[in-house]
Amino acid sequence: MSIANKITRILDYLKRPEKTSHFAKERLQIIIAHERGMRDKPDYLTALQRDLVDVIAKYVAIDKEAVKVDLERKEGFSVLELNVTLPDGL
Amino acid sequence: MKEQTVTKIIVITSGKGGVGKTTTSASFAVGLASRGFKTAVIDFDIGLRNLDLIMGCERRVVYDFVNVIRGEANLNQALIRDKHIKDLFILPASQTRDKDALTLEGVSTVLDELSKTFDYIVCDSPAGIERGAQLAMYFADSAIVVTNPEVSSVRDSDRMLGLLSSKTRRAEEGREPLTEHLLLTRYSPKRVARGDMLSLSDVNEILAIPLLGVIPESQAVLRASNSGDPVILDKESDAGQAYMDAVGRFLGENIPHRFIEEKGNWLKRLLNFKEKETV
């Protein structure tokens, strides 16, 4: 083993492991923002979205991520919004 | 010292297990009672009774919460008087495996009955979001969300905050929402300083509810549960003092936060000591 190699190994041994708490914070901020957005939505929304994607996919080749289902509550009524991005050339 | 008239129901909750709900329930109940408030602490963890062990009264359990709900015993028969403090009573959980043993009506009746004579009712929630946890929070006026500086605990706490804002009686009746308090437990300033643990300000920023206190990771907590004396009674310990402070803050006192900075090394301490001497 070369001297340089030995030195690198000694330095690695002395080096502190990488700090990780900022990963924790970033990951939490992202997932919690997402989950808060889902919080007031009814549970059937995910299932509805899946079914809608399946139906549309029978007719058009769509990207499964290109369908957005959203429920917005307004005073006295709710709006179910369906947003489908169709591929080019149709 | 004491000026409470309307009974206050406090839920100790977290979503995740093992973060310190029962430890907190026990210490909070002792803290409130030792200030002269008549306090009851209820174990909602049906099937996994443990508050009795932490309070050191496991051998005095005769009747339990479910016995009272089913009319097999009256409340006075089931309440266990604390061995240290005269104004403190424990209502133990049942060890039944019947998941439906707790009912909304049953819990409501017991809490109403307790409200006639008690100042504070501390509800020790089970982990998870099942029936026991839902009922523990349903009637609450205040919630203490116990959180460890660790990703799964923080996420679960946020989930509980969502439930607290929608699945409680106050929310359903459109009344003033319950007050939320963050209690950060098992905190290690040393690991925070090393960058290996979420800091107080990280957790505060993410959960965005008022901070009640920080309980440092402490050897005293295990010692306390070994002996069945809630850690708040260990007045020499950091965790005991931190709980005492948190109870004071809960009662509206202005107490600065402690145990959130790394303890200085021996040299720093020596210098601090010198400074103190010269002041």
Side-chain angles (χ1 to χ4, degrees), chain B residues 49 57-64 67 73 77-80 92:
Chain B
R49 174 199 292 164
C57 64
E58 70 278 9
R59 295 181 59 184
R60 291 194 288 142
V61 176
V62 182
Y63 296 110
D64 59 56
N67 289 140
Q77 289 174 296
L79 284 172
I80 302 169

Side-chain angles (χ1 to χ4, degrees), chain B residues 85-100:
Chain B
I85 296 148
K86 80 170 180 14
D87 283 325
L88 179 57
F89 292 82
I90 299 116
L91 184 56
S94 157
Q95 288 288 48
T96 176
R97 279 185 290 171
D98 177 8
K99 281 208 149 201
D100 301 323

Side-chain angles (χ1 to χ4, degrees), chain B residues 14-199:
Chain B
S14 70
K16 189 176 182 299
V19 298
K21 282 182 298 297
T22 302
T23 297
T24 299
S25 299
S27 280
F28 242 77
V30 168
L32 291 168
S34 64
R35 284 163 176 260
F37 295 107
K38 195 171 179 196
T39 304
V41 56
I42 307 179
D43 190 347
F44 274 76
D45 204 347
I46 306 302
L48 293 169
R49 174 199 292 164
N50 273 322
L51 179 67
D52 57 337
L53 271 178
I54 302 301
M55 301 287 298
C57 64
E58 70 278 9
R59 295 181 59 184
R60 291 194 288 142
V61 176
V62 182
Y63 296 110
D64 59 56
F65 196 6
V66 170
N67 289 140
V68 177
I69 286 176
R70 290 183 175 154
E72 295 157 0
N74 67 42
L75 199 47
N76 286 327
Q77 289 174 296
L79 284 172
I80 302 169
R81 183 183 282 273
D82 184 67
K83 58 184 173 182
H84 299 287
I85 296 148
K86 80 170 180 14
D87 283 325
L88 179 57
F89 292 82
I90 299 116
L91 184 56
S94 157
Q95 288 288 48
T96 176
R97 279 185 290 171
D98 177 8
K99 281 208 149 201
D100 301 323
L102 282 190
T103 59
L104 187 67
E105 302 72 41
V107 173
S108 172
T109 311
V110 170
L111 293 179
D112 281 348
E113 184 72 23
L114 288 170
S115 297
K116 288 179 193 161
T117 46
F118 283 88
D119 297 309
Y120 283 101
I121 303 169
V122 178
C123 302
D124 182 18
S125 173
I129 52 172
E130 299 291 313
R131 191 189 201 105
Q134 286 172 19
L135 287 171
M137 70 167 65
Y138 188 75
F139 297 97
D141 301 302
S142 299
I144 296 175
V145 180
V146 183
T147 308
N148 289 168
E150 179 274 330
V151 285
S152 48
S153 175
V154 175
R155 180 200 210 167
D156 288 0
S157 291
D158 192 70
R159 181 105 172 79
M160 296 319 283
L161 289 171
L163 295 177
L164 287 167
S165 65
S166 59
K167 305 277 188 232
T168 58
R169 185 167 65 169
R170 280 173 173 268
E172 285 176 5
E173 290 177 356
R175 284 194 288 148
E176 193 189 332
L178 51 69
T179 54
E180 298 162 335
H181 307 271
L182 172 65
L183 190 74
L184 195 56
T185 57
R186 306 199 66 169
Y187 193 70
S188 168
K190 197 173 167 186
R191 298 177 76 182
V192 171
R194 264 197 256 138
D196 288 342
M197 182 181 266
L198 285 164
S199 71

